Amino acid sequence: RARPGAADRPTCVTYCAPMKKRILLLAGGQSGEHEVSLMSARSVLAALPRDQFDVTPVVISKQGRWLPPTDTARALETGEAQGGGDLVLHRVASAEGYDAVFPLLHGPMGEDGTIQGLLTLAGIPFVGSGVLGSAACSFPNASASARTSRTRW
């Protein structure tokens, strides 16, 4: 016998869809690979399934500023970011409500451990290698010399 009111309750089959993962995609940045990063962002935006991910792109200008949504959209369309925006340090707290940050910043100040360190300090999850792994891959000569040097006592 059915429980009272059971017929009135929604079932997950009908009403509960899996929640989309909220992703903050960072692109652009201060390196000479700024434009390459914007192309990478366009590719990732086109490839991520919209039914599984709610993606918010943010472009960081060559001056290191976090661009607002309209300037971000323009930068992704044109392949270049104009100046303006807020300091990254002032805006990184807005990444807190996302499931993960997807940093697509190439070169120095992007894949060298810098942005990974900032996100780690802020307690914000991100995709990719951590600070040490990013730095070690960006500076292989320094990593190799650190591994092979020996101290004589």
Side-chain angles (χ1 to χ4, degrees):
R1 179 173 147 195
R3 292 178 300 189
D8 298 331
R9 294 186 190 135
T11 63
C12 277
V13 174
T14 307
Y15 296 100
C16 301
M19 291 190 55
K20 292 181 181 183
K21 294 287 183 189
R22 294 190 66 224
I23 305 295
L24 182 66
L25 188 140
L26 294 178
Q30 294 176 274
S31 81
E33 299 181 51
H34 178 89
E35 289 78 13
V36 175
S37 173
L38 296 179
M39 287 191 306
S40 297
R42 285 195 301 266
S43 295
V44 168
L45 285 167
L48 283 175
R50 299 278 180 207
D51 62 329
Q52 297 175 29
F53 299 98
D54 180 15
V55 183
T56 302
V58 171
V59 169
I60 297 175
S61 72
K62 289 183 179 181
Q63 295 75 33
R65 302 291 182 144
W66 187 295
L67 299 180
T70 53
D71 291 347
T72 286
R74 189 176 314 115
L76 290 171
E77 281 178 26
T78 65
E80 60 182 280
Q82 303 300 315
D86 295 325
L87 288 174
V88 171
L89 188 57
H90 294 165
R91 298 288 299 154
V92 76
S94 64
E96 192 174 21
Y98 290 86
D99 294 305
V101 173
F102 196 148
L104 286 174
L105 306 171
H106 299 301
M109 307 299 256
E111 58 191 356
D112 62 356
T114 307
I115 194 71
Q116 292 83 359
L118 178 65
L119 294 169
T120 298
L121 284 171
I124 298 168
F126 58 92
V127 175
S129 298
V131 178
L132 182 58
S134 298
C137 290
S138 292
F139 305 106
N141 292 338
S143 300
S145 67
R147 285 192 311 270
T148 59
S149 66
R150 298 180 191 261
T151 305
R152 295 182 187 241
W153 298 97

